[in-house]
Amino acid sequence: MTRNFLRRNGALVGVVFASFSLALLACASGDTPKPATESTEMSAGAPGVTALPADSTVPSTMFEMRVVDEDRQWRIVGKPTMAALDFAAYFANPIRLAGKDEKPENYKGKMSGVKLTDYPFPMLDSIQEHEPSAVNGRMPVAWEPLSKLLYTQTGSDSLAQVIGAVEAVKWDEPEVFRAFQTVTRLWGVPMSDGSVEWWAEVMPAQWTGRTAFYGKLKLASRGETAEVLNFYLTAEMNAEDAQNWARTLSSYWYPTLNTDLEPHSAGAPWEAKADCRPFAVMRGNPMGKPMWIAFDVPAFRLTDEALRAQQVADSLAAAGEVVPVNRMLDTTSDARLQTLSSLEGSCPANAETAKFRSALENTLAKLPKEQNAWATAGASPAETFLWFRRNANYLLADKITGQDSLHNPLPRLLELKHYLDSIGVQLLVVPVPVKEEIYAERLVAGTPADLCVNPAGREFTREMLAAGLDVLDIYPALMAAKAGDEPPHFSYQRYDTHWSLPGMLAAMEQLAARVTQYSWYGDAGAKPGSLNMQETTTLREGDLVAHLPDAEKAKYPADTLPAMKIFKGAEPYKGGKNAPILLMGDSFTGVFESVDQKSGGPGSLLAYATGLDVQVLTSWGGGPGVYHRMMKMKKDMQSKRLVVYMMTARDFWQSPMEWDALR
């Protein structure tokens, strides 16, 4: 099967599907933001919240924070503007702050006695101890999401560069990786000439013993900046936009904060609190201890009456929507045995792999232990790649099936197969190789481009097949796809952990071919040609950028990536509960499917290529947790013939989300 199979119905016209932000900006007025008048409170000293220095002011007019218990926060946002939701997510977020109050081992406090005014912050025009009068009555914002929006709309990353420089100041201790200070609040002050001045609250890390200070940035933004800022502060989201916001945020924070959205009915009570009715609940586990933040917008809450009506409607829909099918497992082993045979001796541990392993170990040993991403330069700036420490650790794995019972995936995958066999549903496991093994020659200089550098991972694939699991091995296809690289476009995103369109297409072509080989495919009601495809682009900021040293982050702006979008008629495609295929897994099932341009990820592409409807179930917190969600879909499973379990292969090794028993 060739890539033409996926593109057979494509109109192949260039269409850019704007995000909520792009669409609303076109309608935003150019008026400068009006000072907010409503006031809210934030309990910064409440249990479970990282305490702010005593002389630091807390934000007003943005959100109210309540603490449900030690690990659960409830954030109430009065108006669902992008600025308010972003601020509620970024400010004093315990998931983001976990572990950062501990003093770094190599911190010496060389300049602990130096006055702030005596230490150069050349990117600040002025420094003062108290909140400046220039920002009185103005709403603070979180600088990271605003700077991304400004870059998207104006093409300028000046704000990110200046604030990045503030956060990168190391007080004569450059060997300390962790930030000595962060910009916790930012104010944009429109001027009469149409420019915008920027003021920042800078919060030193708790272990420095310093207190908050304020400064005016040496940056006056012009052009469209005031219009973008006004839109950011005033344009309100609807409930669907807010859900997409939460989903996207969770996906970006997932690689190192292990974030995911908890299953929750938007607007329904949470944690047995009748007045807490969030539209989304985010779970994070960055340090081995789960924490939750609920995002609540009063306008999105459901009254008791509306909630009961919604529950009745959902119950009726669930009862009548799923159509059970008569199923028959395809018990042939030809594909499995052929794949098993192809793996024998295909990735030996030898002198070349030992050399690669040693070089990678040396690279990791030189990184600060808290640094989770690093860069390697290519032959040109367009060929610079960022890499993820957890992916690298997976390439250095020992025997995967030798792990303890909570980290060894094989028994749990076999348990899942046994359950699905018992209800007549096929299981196909699709491990997604990490970028670091596909592009090993870019990770470690001197590595042959065709060298298989992951003997332990390839051996685990062989063990799964030998144990009777049907496994689709997409590693050869992804290695072959590199031949079509055209910098700055590759099979994987340069600054991100995920694949890009060429890699995804290579994998989906192989998956589609496998699906059509099952003996039941002809009876599954396939409708080839019922969907159409259009080419588009999407702007994505790499999820690895945030984990670089502060001084380097501004070097890696968002990438414009080619993408596909699948339509059913005039509507973007989305699989339903009666889909015969369930595609479940981690963020590799969700990227381009439920975030970014949407309806162009693995589920939509598989539906387009096979003519079969595909329902997608994504756990942003990691693949090992998604099969528990599947177990709660017993009614939906009556329509299923195939479960495709797709996830990053790195979670086969020391996954922070443990492989516990099926329940």
Side-chain angles (χ1 to χ4, degrees), residues 122-138:
M123 66 295 296
L124 297 179
D125 190 49
S126 62
I127 296 176
Q128 58 193 70
E129 295 180 357
H130 303 288
E131 184 174 304
S133 59
V135 304
N136 286 348
R138 296 194 176 276

Side-chain angles (χ1 to χ4, degrees), residues 150-426:
L150 286 171
Y151 178 76
T152 300
Q153 298 300 316
T154 70
S156 173
D157 60 353
S158 299
L159 182 64
Q161 290 186 17
V162 174
I163 296 182
V166 172
E167 296 192 338
V169 171
K170 294 293 185 182
W171 295 85
D172 201 29
E173 296 191 57
E175 66 279 3
V176 177
F177 174 76
R178 205 180 309 163
F180 279 63
Q181 59 278 317
T182 57
V183 172
T184 46
R185 289 191 285 169
L186 179 72
W187 293 268
V189 181
M191 310 303 291
S192 59
D193 63 357
S195 65
V196 176
E197 289 185 349
W198 302 101
W199 290 81
E201 176 188 65
V202 185
M203 185 68 66
Q206 186 174 346
W207 39 269
T208 67
R210 296 183 180 274
T211 56
F213 60 93
Y214 302 82
K216 178 183 174 184
L217 305 186
K218 287 184 178 178
L219 172 68
S221 301
R222 302 184 183 278
E224 301 172 79
T225 300
E227 184 179 357
V228 176
L229 178 61
N230 180 62
F231 153 74
Y232 186 64
L233 289 165
T234 61
E236 295 188 23
M237 298 184 185
N238 60 33
E240 182 180 357
D241 295 328
Q243 288 280 354
N244 289 336
W245 167 85
R247 189 180 299 114
T248 301
L249 189 68
S250 179
S251 73
Y252 272 99
W253 287 353
Y254 154 67
T256 51
L257 299 178
N258 294 311
T259 48
D260 197 3
L261 293 185
E262 290 282 89
H264 174 75
S265 297
W270 179 63
E271 292 297 311
K273 288 189 169 291
D275 56 341
C276 178
R277 302 193 176 205
F279 68 86
V281 178
M282 180 184 291
R283 176 186 185 273
N285 187 3
M287 303 290 290
K289 181 181 180 182
M291 292 176 279
W292 292 263
I293 292 182
F295 297 102
D296 186 359
V297 172
F300 299 159
R301 295 174 184 169
L302 295 178
T303 64
D304 289 338
E305 182 179 358
L307 180 60
R308 285 192 293 270
Q310 183 65 54
Q311 290 171 339
V312 170
D314 290 344
S315 177
L316 291 173
E321 187 177 353
V322 177
V323 179
V325 296
N326 294 321
R327 296 178 290 224
M328 180 180 298
L329 285 175
D330 186 335
T331 58
T332 58
S333 299
D334 291 349
R336 181 177 64 83
L337 294 176
Q338 288 173 9
T339 307
L340 180 60
S341 176
S342 70
L343 283 166
E344 297 292 344
S346 65
C347 190
N350 53 29
E352 285 186 313
T353 58
K355 180 181 177 182
F356 170 85
R357 187 183 182 104
S358 176
L360 184 56
E361 287 174 336
N362 288 337
T363 296
L364 294 179
K366 293 175 183 177
L367 292 177
K369 69 176 184 178
E370 295 177 274
Q371 184 172 340
N372 289 309
W374 75 100
T376 58
S380 68
E383 297 180 75
T384 295
F385 273 57
L386 301 183
W387 311 103
F388 189 33
R389 184 189 283 267
R390 274 193 58 211
N391 286 355
N393 287 338
Y394 164 64
L395 298 190
L396 299 174
D398 296 325
K399 189 173 179 61
I400 290 175
T401 53
Q403 299 175 94
D404 61 67
S405 60
L406 290 177
H407 292 93
N408 180 5
L410 186 56
R412 299 308 172 212
L413 291 172
L414 290 172
E415 184 180 31
L416 177 61
K417 174 178 166 38
H418 178 74
Y419 167 72
L420 291 175
D421 282 352
S422 72
I423 61 173
V425 177
Q426 210 89 37

Side-chain angles (χ1 to χ4, degrees), residues 465-519:
L465 289 158
L469 287 167
D470 195 1
V471 180
L472 185 72
D473 181 18
I474 61 175
Y475 170 81
L478 289 168
M479 288 291 285
K482 292 192 298 183
D485 287 349
E486 296 180 358
H489 302 300
F490 300 86
S491 291
Y492 282 69
Q493 299 174 48
R494 295 178 297 163
Y495 310 150
D496 197 278
T497 55
H498 299 96
W499 49 26
S500 57
L501 183 61
M504 185 167 54
L505 285 175
M508 290 306 102
E509 288 158 10
Q510 193 172 349
L511 177 56
R514 181 70 187 94
V515 170
T516 60
Q517 291 169 1
Y518 283 115
S519 60

Side-chain angles (χ1 to χ4, degrees), residues 19 56 173 237 240 365 437 446 542 566 588 595:
S19 65
S56 172
E173 296 191 57
M237 298 184 185
E240 182 180 357
E437 69 181 305
I566 306 302
F588 275 86
V595 299

Side-chain angles (χ1 to χ4, degrees), residues 540-623:
R540 181 173 173 87
E541 173 147 351
D543 59 16
L544 293 174
V545 176
H547 310 294
L548 293 170
D550 296 307
E552 296 181 22
K553 293 175 182 177
K555 298 178 183 178
Y556 306 100
D559 253 346
T560 299
L561 303 172
M564 297 294 185
K565 195 173 183 78
I566 306 302
F567 287 84
K568 185 173 184 178
E571 296 298 320
Y573 173 77
K574 183 178 181 181
K577 292 185 176 183
N578 275 311
I581 299 175
L582 174 66
L583 172 66
M584 70 177 191
D586 63 6
S587 56
F588 275 86
T589 69
V591 68
F592 305 117
E593 191 69 58
S594 57
V595 299
D596 302 312
Q597 96 292 337
K598 303 180 185 176
S599 298
S604 295
L605 293 175
L606 182 60
Y608 176 84
T610 62
L612 292 178
D613 204 17
V614 179
Q615 186 178 3
V616 179
L617 179 64
T618 298
S619 169
W620 294 103

